[in-house]
Amino acid sequence: MRREDMADLTMFLAVAEEQSFTGAAKKLGVSQSALSHTVRRLETRLGLRLLTRTTRSVAPTEAGERLLETLRPAIDEIDERLAALTLLRERPAGTIRINASEHAAETILWPAIDGLVTEYPDIHVEVHVESGFSDIVADRFDAGVRLGEALAKDMIAVRISPRLRMAAVSSPAYFAEHGTPIVPQDLAAHRCINLRMTSAGGIYAWEFEKDGRELRVKVDGQLVFNRIRLILGAAAAGHGIGYVLEDQAAPLLSSGALVRVLEDWSPPFDGYYLYYPSRRQTSPAFRLVVDRLRYRD
């Protein structure tokens, strides 16, 4: 295979995985026109159309899917062999890609990564933030971060945070005007601020537990957001009750801008875990990241 053939195949793979010439060009650091020309050249050389292009999306054709089935395992093997070469280096090196929620990325990943990349300049870390679940193997991540209760059984899981709690909060003025809910069922008479899960598109049902009794409550109100900061701002402004992680509300609770209710219905639950496939070979750089993130009581 000629070197230019390998480069063309790499560019085709990027476009197919990103499902976008714009996204792939940004990822590869090339112009969109150059990328489009390369893919057309590959299609001409093979005599096959590999991608179906519309004004809104790009998707592999049947021939493109067959080529992807060949390319992905080959590229994965090359990546693993390159990662194995770092064993020969005195200093850990390589790129680590991690998928995580916004809260986990800000409160757990970044504090650990901040010092790590300063101490080890040859380690590169990419953090991809999304609120829903991702297939980290299919999406070529080295690891993901999710709550312990949501992890697949076939993954290696490393605890990276303490246990967490939820908190139902609003402003003192709101409770003075509308009263204080005593049990979760009382929320039906209140204005609540909902969270829409970005990737799944659904509204989060508030989860409560007391004395072994679990409740999932669907609440109603005028406002729905897909960002916690907006929920906290609306709650502090007196627009209703929000339901967020305890540490997210802590500064506003300390200042008195927010008041907490239903605390006895929100016991601690499993915190965040770093998870990754057991079959994937781990590089010295990845093992170093895992060790830095590992939660120690």
Side-chain angles (χ1 to χ4, degrees):
M1 178 186 292
R2 300 176 302 173
R3 288 185 178 180
E4 54 266 34
D5 291 336
M6 187 63 186
D8 291 355
L9 291 171
T10 300
M11 290 189 177
F12 160 72
L13 181 62
V15 175
E17 290 184 338
E18 294 290 325
Q19 296 186 347
S20 163
F21 278 91
T22 302
K26 184 177 180 180
K27 179 179 180 180
L28 295 171
V30 300
S31 69
Q32 188 174 340
S33 60
L35 184 57
S36 180
H37 174 75
T38 298
V39 173
R40 283 198 300 269
R41 182 177 63 196
L42 177 62
E43 290 177 323
T44 300
R45 188 159 66 249
L46 295 176
L48 294 167
R49 180 175 290 277
L50 300 174
L51 296 170
T52 300
R53 305 160 176 84
T54 68
T55 56
R56 295 187 177 182
S57 65
V58 177
T61 62
E62 182 180 354
E65 288 287 0
R66 291 189 181 186
L67 181 56
L68 286 173
E69 290 174 1
T70 300
L71 284 177
R72 282 185 176 125
I75 295 297
D76 284 343
E77 183 176 356
I78 291 172
D79 286 344
E80 288 185 4
R81 289 181 179 272
L82 289 174
L85 290 177
T86 63
L87 292 168
L88 303 177
R89 297 176 57 124
E90 292 182 0
R91 301 178 65 180
T95 298
I96 308 300
R97 301 183 70 238
I98 304 175
N99 178 285
S101 68
E102 185 174 21
H103 180 254
E106 291 179 349
T107 61
I108 305 298
L109 291 185
W110 174 240
I113 291 169
D114 183 18
L116 181 73
V117 295
T118 301
E119 188 175 349
Y120 296 92
D122 292 332
I123 293 179
H124 300 262
V125 180
E126 177 183 343
V127 177
H128 182 83
V129 173
E130 62 179 336
S131 61
F133 291 99
S134 174
D135 184 336
I136 61 171
V137 176
D139 294 337
R140 300 171 65 81
F141 288 103
D142 295 288
V145 176
R146 286 296 179 265
L147 296 174
E149 60 192 21
L151 293 176
K153 301 299 183 183
D154 60 345
M155 293 286 175
I156 293 178
V158 178
R159 186 182 176 196
I160 61 173
S161 87
R163 287 167 66 81
L164 303 173
R165 293 184 72 188
M166 298 296 291
V169 296
S170 192
S171 68
Y174 174 86
F175 290 126
E177 180 179 352
H178 300 281
T180 302
I182 304 302
V183 294
Q185 293 88 335
D186 292 343
L187 293 170
H190 285 266
R191 297 201 306 260
C192 295
I193 305 165
N194 269 305
L195 170 67
R196 184 175 296 280
M197 308 302 289
T198 303
S199 60
I203 298 292
Y204 168 63
W206 296 9
E207 299 171 277
F208 297 95
E209 182 181 346
K210 184 177 181 181
D211 299 329
R213 181 187 179 192
E214 297 181 3
L215 293 176
R216 290 174 61 88
V217 180
K218 291 185 177 181
V219 298
D220 195 18
Q222 291 178 284
L223 299 174
V224 179
F225 296 109
N226 67 349
R227 288 293 183 268
I228 298 299
R229 290 188 185 92
L230 294 172
I231 292 176
L232 289 170
H239 291 291
I241 303 173
Y243 199 48
V244 300
L245 285 169
E246 185 179 57
D247 69 312
Q248 293 173 318
L252 292 173
L253 288 170
S254 296
S255 70
L258 290 176
V259 175
R260 184 174 186 175
V261 295
L262 299 173
E263 186 170 357
D264 57 334
W265 280 90
S266 300
F269 56 89
D270 269 352
Y272 291 116
Y273 284 75
L274 184 81
Y275 67 98
Y276 54 95
S278 58
R279 66 178 179 277
R280 177 165 293 182
Q281 180 178 359
T282 58
S283 67
F286 182 76
R287 291 197 295 272
L288 186 60
V289 170
V290 173
D291 187 64
R292 285 295 176 92
L293 289 170
R294 189 185 305 274
Y295 179 73
R296 296 170 175 86
D297 292 315

